[in-house]
Amino acid sequence: MAGSALVIGAGDATGGAIAKAFAATGLTGCCVRRTADKLEPLIADIKAAGHNAIGYGRDARKEEDMVGLVEEIERDVGPLEVAVFNIGANVPSSILDETARKYFKIWEMACFSGFLMGREAAKRMVPRGRGTILFTGATASLRGRSGFAGFSGAKHALRALAMSMSKELAPQGVHVAHVVIDGAIDTEFIRNVAPQRYALKDQDGILNPDHIAQNYVMLHNQPRDSWTFELDLRPWMEQW
Amino acid sequence: MAGSALVIGAGDATGGAIAKAFAATGLTGCCVRRTADKLEPLIADIKAAGHNAIGYGRDARKEEDMVGLVEEIERDVGPLEVAVFNIGANVPSSILDETARKYFKIWEMACFSGFLMGREAAKRMVPRGRGTILFTGATASLRGRSGFAGFSGAKHALRALAMSMSKELAPQGVHVAHVVIDGAIDTEFIRNVAPQRYALKDQDGILNPDHIAQNYVMLHNQPRDSWTFELDLRPWMEQW
Amino acid sequence: MAGSALVIGAGDATGGAIAKAFAATGLTGCCVRRTADKLEPLIADIKAAGHNAIGYGRDARKEEDMVGLVEEIERDVGPLEVAVFNIGANVPSSILDETARKYFKIWEMACFSGFLMGREAAKRMVPRGRGTILFTGATASLRGRSGFAGFSGAKHALRALAMSMSKELAPQGVHVAHVVIDGAIDTEFIRNVAPQRYALKDQDGILNPDHIAQNYVMLHNQPRDSWTFELDLRPWMEQW
Amino acid sequence: MAGSALVIGAGDATGGAIAKAFAATGLTGCCVRRTADKLEPLIADIKAAGHNAIGYGRDARKEEDMVGLVEEIERDVGPLEVAVFNIGANVPSSILDETARKYFKIWEMACFSGFLMGREAAKRMVPRGRGTILFTGATASLRGRSGFAGFSGAKHALRALAMSMSKELAPQGVHVAHVVIDGAIDTEFIRNVAPQRYALKDQDGILNPDHIAQNYVMLHNQPRDSWTFELDLRPWMEQW
């Protein structure tokens, strides 16, 4: 039974590219988003390339969903070699207008789900003394910003989770890393909400999801004497 | 009607000292913890010193409690000049054993409550163009650590909240700051769980709550041309 | 024999204000810049206020000057209780045009001089188990910026010096701290080179040197159970 | 004329491995240390593998040496595609004992040389709108430590140089990155001074220079829409 690579948040371009890239290494891409139907084109793509993938409709915020999912993958697909958490929730608000409900939901999606995935993956990987757990971060992981109390809070907390897990789990053979994406990604979302930015694509001014994915695979392949906890990715023309 | 200073988490030594220190400046110390009864000695102390204080039993995690509390203070006591968020929730666990319930509760207490207080305070202070909002941080605000995924996550998120609020609100006249406490504080808790550490008190090896409080008052009194967002406090003999 | 407060870089508004503030606490302000003559108005001011001050023309980059100066102060004035390093050297250049000579000089002025002062002060303070050593930092202490390879390099190195000294000397009773000034200060320099910025003075949009100085005195007065290593100072309306 | 990869500090195991790795990509490895003779085994190794390399005896702290070297390489070998700065100078001292001469020399070797290389490389790369400049960092690049005022100062300054150069040069097509090595490397030096640590080699507890080198090549190969400025490398069992 070959290994599996779990990608939570496989719905967007980045998650999809990460799933494809790990599937291309021989792992079965276990792709998760809330609605399984929407995963069909991605699964078809991966299979058309001659690789293995399965789509799962699960709510990553629900403990029973995540516990059951990892159980199912380990039983039916193969040992979890890689787990990637790739859910964002970047919805800005003035602190004066931020609702408690939205502040909570951003954290629940962008951090709590990551905790659930991270814990379940760790439970399987630690006894085997191997495996890679990867978290997608953002500029907001590193500093607060006007209007981003909710998003930067969730991303800061996710980074603290990743760092705490790395310090605990690396000495047990499990590689945990955090990738800080600083720039717009080539996605439908950016094409729609930031067309001027999207136009920079011709000059490589926005991040190509496949190139992001190559870094995730590279992290998984690092020999254990030289593991990276954190790296940033940024288009050459990005101001920072 | 004189101003008020709200202290959420006035139950511990630090919160109590902060309430006393602001009461001594002439503000009415509005002291909050879950059970109002337990605040009686603190309120009595402040009154015995000739200053004003009121105890409120409120659950800082509940939106209606916090909204109602700030409304009540503004109506009955006086304009909120200072709001201090001082709730911690330092309960370590291996990531392998951390329950979803506990991970959530740590965040709810140590971060979500801070959001509620911060937002309600900001809503009152911004229209007046003045006021100070202070958050108590910890070493865990700045880095993750094995066994501290929950606590460091909540503290990182709280710091991101403070920074986001500072960047949004300072240009509107409201001073937001974050105090990183790096060391053991002279509290019952430390006396009980870390007696060897507590014994360093004779050599000033643990933080005196009154000295911490002086820094909070100092931050409130800074003229607006030179506001501090962040400072750390650490006993001289602390390793870091 | 009362104590002394050494201020290296007393030539600008900030250094002058710091010297005045420490003199007002009863220490003799030992004011240093390259040309002693130019210190006369500052010394006169301090004396007119009924406090003590002495001007010294010394080149802070020269080891023999700094060794001799501290020796002279300890012998003739009084034990060094405070030493403040306040020399900047903010001269931007493209990396393509930066000369080796200028890159070196910026480091020599803004960092090497600080090392010399810090070491000489530490040598006197450690045997007494008391004293405060303060370094003036800037935004450039925390991150590099296009055109600021030289200045940010020197400021980063100065901060590393301060942090290394703090970790070594605090357990020996000597308080070392670093103040990050993030904004324009009310100086002749800013008035001349950035008049639009200077005009924000009416709205407290630039830092008042006397207010900066109060923070230095506050740091010196902190009880040793709660020492600050770093704080930032920023006008309320500053973008960051 | 094929391109060249300059490695300053090719004398140690890491620099040598980096030179080999870039030579294996088809670039001519231009290896620099103070004494050219000592480079002979490295050059022979690279040639034996069928790749190209040249040894240069140069003092990286001397402007004329570095200017002349880059001129010579560009004229005789091929356009500089990669420039790597890999000189350390980790010699701890108490601040009380640190000599001005040593403090200066550490900075000169570990930072000033890096400035010279960086500037000369940038001058050649910017007009072509391509090229990669890589700096080797350390834990000391990120924080000060008792006894490490000199080394951490130099490494902080080098990181500020790298960041300033990245912000200026990336929008001109030149990729600048900083690699933070946090752990002991498999070198003669570690074998001699830290034999217990060296013994961890059997468990992959120290960094393999070839694995470090793979990350440098990976950084050079990153497509420009997703460039990394900084990554860390650390053995799995390293405490941090």
Side-chain angles (χ1 to χ4, degrees):
Chain A
M1 199 160 64
S4 61
L6 171 62
V7 181
I8 305 284
D12 73 356
T14 310
I18 293 168
K20 281 182 203 173
F22 279 112
T25 71
L27 299 171
T28 298
C30 298
C31 303
V32 183
R33 62 183 297 179
R34 234 171 300 172
T35 319
D37 295 358
K38 295 193 184 156
L39 286 167
E40 279 171 20
L42 173 63
I43 305 302
D45 259 22
I46 296 177
K47 288 185 172 168
H51 307 130
N52 297 318
I54 305 173
Y56 297 89
R58 295 289 188 284
D59 188 336
R61 300 166 303 177
K62 295 212 172 122
E63 188 172 20
E64 62 276 21
D65 273 32
M66 298 303 280
V67 170
L69 172 69
V70 169
E71 213 166 271
E72 192 178 330
I73 291 172
E74 287 265 331
R75 188 188 60 222
D76 300 342
V77 184
L80 201 58
E81 301 297 342
V82 180
V84 178
F85 182 74
N86 183 55
I87 298 180
N90 192 346
V91 196
S93 284
S94 162
I95 187 69
L96 302 169
D97 302 328
E98 185 70 288
T99 65
R101 182 182 152 82
K102 187 169 138 235
Y103 186 80
F104 167 73
K105 283 202 162 296
I106 291 173
W107 173 82
E108 193 190 25
M109 281 177 63
C111 175
F112 181 68
S113 304
F115 157 72
L116 292 175
M117 183 205 82
R119 187 192 63 189
E120 292 309 300
K123 281 180 179 171
R124 303 295 173 147
M125 292 174 177
V126 164
R128 293 191 286 257
R130 69 165 201 275
T132 303
I133 302 174
L134 302 171
F135 294 94
T136 300
T139 316
S141 307
L142 302 175
R143 50 175 189 273
R145 184 175 151 203
S146 177
F148 289 84
F151 183 58
S152 67
K155 293 306 260 185
H156 273 64
L158 188 73
R159 182 172 183 259
L161 172 76
M163 197 183 293
S164 299
M165 287 181 64
S166 172
K167 290 183 177 183
E168 181 175 351
L169 302 180
Q172 300 184 69
V174 175
H175 185 184
V176 181
H178 183 251
V179 178
V180 177
I181 311 239
D182 183 21
I185 305 178
D186 179 358
T187 58
E188 277 303 306
F189 177 75
I190 295 294
R191 195 200 309 246
N192 293 331
V193 306
Q196 277 187 307
R197 198 127 196 234
Y198 194 80
L200 299 175
K201 183 179 172 177
D202 294 343
Q203 303 166 65
D204 306 318
I206 59 176
L207 290 126
N208 179 330
D210 292 324
H211 297 165
I212 296 175
Q214 285 162 14
N215 286 280
Y216 284 64
V217 174
M218 179 276 291
L219 288 167
H220 176 54
N221 288 332
Q222 284 184 320
R224 70 177 184 166
D225 67 274
S226 41
W227 276 352
T228 293
F229 168 65
E230 191 163 71
L231 61 81
D232 52 355
L233 293 173
R234 183 181 292 111
W236 66 294
M237 56 197 304
E238 187 78 19
Q239 293 264 327
W240 62 295
Chain B
M1 200 161 62
S4 60
L6 171 63
V7 181
I8 306 284
D12 74 355
T14 311
I18 293 168
K20 281 182 203 173
F22 280 111
T25 71
L27 299 172
T28 298
C30 298
C31 303
V32 182
R33 63 183 297 180
R34 235 172 300 172
T35 319
D37 295 358
K38 294 193 184 156
L39 286 166
E40 280 171 20
L42 173 64
I43 304 303
D45 259 22
I46 296 177
K47 288 184 171 167
H51 307 131
N52 297 318
I54 304 174
Y56 297 88
R58 295 289 189 284
D59 188 337
R61 300 166 302 177
K62 295 211 172 122
E63 188 171 19
E64 63 275 21
D65 272 32
M66 298 303 281
V67 170
L69 171 69
V70 169
E71 212 167 273
E72 193 178 328
I73 291 172
E74 287 264 331
R75 187 188 62 220
D76 299 343
V77 184
L80 200 58
E81 301 297 342
V82 179
V84 177
F85 182 74
N86 183 56
I87 298 181
N90 191 346
V91 196
S93 286
S94 161
I95 187 68
L96 301 170
D97 302 327
E98 186 71 289
T99 65
R101 182 182 153 82
K102 189 170 138 233
Y103 186 80
F104 167 72
K105 283 203 161 297
I106 291 174
W107 173 81
E108 193 189 26
M109 281 176 64
C111 175
F112 182 67
S113 304
F115 158 72
L116 292 175
M117 183 205 82
R119 186 192 66 188
E120 292 309 299
K123 282 181 179 170
R124 303 298 173 144
M125 293 174 177
V126 164
R128 292 192 286 257
R130 71 165 198 277
T132 303
I133 302 175
L134 302 172
F135 295 93
T136 301
T139 316
S141 307
L142 301 175
R143 51 175 188 273
R145 184 177 152 202
S146 176
F148 290 84
F151 184 58
S152 68
K155 294 305 262 185
H156 273 64
L158 187 73
R159 182 170 184 260
L161 172 76
M163 197 183 294
S164 300
M165 288 181 64
S166 174
K167 290 183 177 182
E168 180 174 351
L169 302 180
Q172 301 184 68
V174 175
H175 184 184
V176 181
H178 183 251
V179 178
V180 177
I181 311 238
D182 183 21
I185 305 178
D186 180 358
T187 58
E188 277 303 305
F189 176 74
I190 294 295
R191 196 201 308 246
N192 294 330
V193 306
Q196 277 188 306
R197 196 128 197 232
Y198 193 80
L200 299 176
K201 183 179 171 176
D202 294 343
Q203 302 167 66
D204 306 319
I206 59 175
L207 290 126
N208 180 330
D210 292 325
H211 297 165
I212 295 175
Q214 284 162 14
N215 285 281
Y216 284 65
V217 174
M218 180 276 291
L219 288 166
H220 175 55
N221 289 333
Q222 284 184 320
R224 69 176 184 167
D225 67 274
S226 40
W227 276 351
T228 292
F229 168 66
E230 191 163 71
L231 61 80
D232 52 356
L233 292 173
R234 183 181 292 111
W236 65 295
M237 54 196 305
E238 187 78 18
Q239 294 264 330
W240 63 293
Chain C
M1 199 159 66
S4 60
L6 171 63
V7 181
I8 305 284
D12 73 357
T14 310
I18 293 167
K20 281 181 202 174
F22 279 111
T25 72
L27 299 171
T28 298
C30 298
C31 303
V32 182
R33 63 183 297 179
R34 234 172 299 171
T35 320
D37 294 358
K38 295 193 185 157
L39 285 166
E40 280 173 19
L42 173 64
I43 305 302
D45 260 20
I46 295 176
K47 289 186 172 167
H51 307 130
N52 297 318
I54 305 173
Y56 297 89
R58 296 288 190 285
D59 188 336
R61 300 167 302 177
K62 297 210 171 123
E63 188 171 20
E64 64 275 22
D65 272 33
M66 297 304 281
V67 170
L69 171 69
V70 170
E71 212 166 272
E72 191 178 329
I73 291 172
E74 286 265 330
R75 188 187 61 221
D76 299 342
V77 184
L80 201 58
E81 301 297 343
V82 180
V84 178
F85 182 74
N86 183 55
I87 297 180
N90 191 347
V91 196
S93 284
S94 162
I95 186 68
L96 302 169
D97 302 327
E98 186 70 287
T99 65
R101 181 182 153 83
K102 188 169 139 236
Y103 186 81
F104 167 72
K105 283 202 162 295
I106 291 174
W107 173 81
E108 193 189 26
M109 280 177 64
C111 175
F112 182 67
S113 305
F115 158 71
L116 291 175
M117 183 204 83
R119 186 192 64 189
E120 292 309 301
K123 281 180 179 171
R124 303 297 174 146
M125 292 175 178
V126 164
R128 293 191 285 256
R130 69 164 200 276
T132 303
I133 302 175
L134 302 171
F135 294 94
T136 300
T139 315
S141 307
L142 302 175
R143 50 175 188 272
R145 184 177 152 202
S146 176
F148 289 85
F151 184 58
S152 68
K155 293 305 261 186
H156 273 63
L158 188 73
R159 182 171 183 259
L161 171 76
M163 196 183 294
S164 300
M165 287 181 65
S166 173
K167 290 182 176 183
E168 180 174 352
L169 302 180
Q172 301 184 68
V174 175
H175 185 184
V176 181
H178 183 251
V179 178
V180 177
I181 311 237
D182 183 21
I185 305 178
D186 179 359
T187 57
E188 277 303 305
F189 177 75
I190 295 295
R191 196 201 306 248
N192 294 331
V193 306
Q196 277 187 305
R197 197 127 197 234
Y198 193 81
L200 299 175
K201 183 179 172 176
D202 294 343
Q203 303 167 65
D204 306 319
I206 58 176
L207 290 126
N208 179 329
D210 292 325
H211 296 165
I212 295 175
Q214 284 163 13
N215 286 280
Y216 284 64
V217 173
M218 180 276 292
L219 288 167
H220 176 55
N221 288 332
Q222 284 185 319
R224 70 177 183 165
D225 67 274
S226 40
W227 276 351
T228 292
F229 168 66
E230 191 162 72
L231 61 81
D232 52 354
L233 293 173
R234 183 182 293 113
W236 66 294
M237 55 198 306
E238 187 78 19
Q239 294 264 330
W240 63 295
Chain D
M1 200 161 63
S4 60
L6 171 63
V7 181
I8 305 283
D12 74 356
T14 311
I18 294 168
K20 280 181 202 175
F22 279 112
T25 72
L27 299 171
T28 298
C30 298
C31 303
V32 182
R33 62 184 296 180
R34 234 172 299 172
T35 319
D37 294 358
K38 295 192 184 156
L39 286 167
E40 281 172 19
L42 173 64
I43 305 302
D45 260 22
I46 296 177
K47 289 185 170 167
H51 308 130
N52 297 318
I54 305 174
Y56 297 88
R58 294 289 190 284
D59 188 336
R61 301 167 302 179
K62 295 212 173 122
E63 188 171 19
E64 63 275 21
D65 273 32
M66 298 303 281
V67 170
L69 171 70
V70 170
E71 212 167 274
E72 192 178 329
I73 291 171
E74 287 264 331
R75 187 189 61 222
D76 299 343
V77 184
L80 201 58
E81 301 297 341
V82 180
V84 178
F85 182 74
N86 183 55
I87 298 180
N90 191 347
V91 196
S93 284
S94 161
I95 186 69
L96 301 169
D97 301 328
E98 185 70 288
T99 65
R101 181 182 154 81
K102 188 170 137 233
Y103 186 81
F104 167 72
K105 283 202 161 296
I106 291 173
W107 173 81
E108 194 190 24
M109 280 176 64
C111 175
F112 182 67
S113 304
F115 157 72
L116 292 175
M117 183 204 83
R119 186 191 66 189
E120 291 309 301
K123 282 180 179 170
R124 302 298 173 144
M125 293 174 177
V126 164
R128 293 191 286 258
R130 71 165 198 277
T132 303
I133 302 175
L134 302 171
F135 294 94
T136 300
T139 316
S141 307
L142 301 176
R143 50 176 188 271
R145 184 176 152 202
S146 176
F148 289 85
F151 184 58
S152 68
K155 293 304 262 185
H156 273 64
L158 187 72
R159 183 172 184 259
L161 172 76
M163 197 183 295
S164 301
M165 287 180 64
S166 173
K167 290 183 177 182
E168 180 174 352
L169 303 181
Q172 300 183 70
V174 175
H175 185 185
V176 181
H178 183 252
V179 178
V180 177
I181 311 239
D182 183 20
I185 305 178
D186 179 358
T187 58
E188 277 303 306
F189 176 75
I190 295 294
R191 196 201 308 247
N192 295 330
V193 307
Q196 278 188 306
R197 198 129 196 230
Y198 193 80
L200 299 176
K201 183 178 173 178
D202 294 343
Q203 303 166 65
D204 305 320
I206 60 176
L207 291 125
N208 179 328
D210 292 325
H211 297 165
I212 296 175
Q214 285 162 14
N215 286 281
Y216 283 65
V217 174
M218 179 277 292
L219 288 166
H220 176 55
N221 288 332
Q222 284 184 319
R224 69 177 184 167
D225 66 273
S226 41
W227 275 351
T228 292
F229 168 65
E230 191 162 71
L231 61 81
D232 52 355
L233 292 173
R234 183 180 293 110
W236 64 296
M237 54 198 303
E238 187 78 18
Q239 294 265 329
W240 61 295

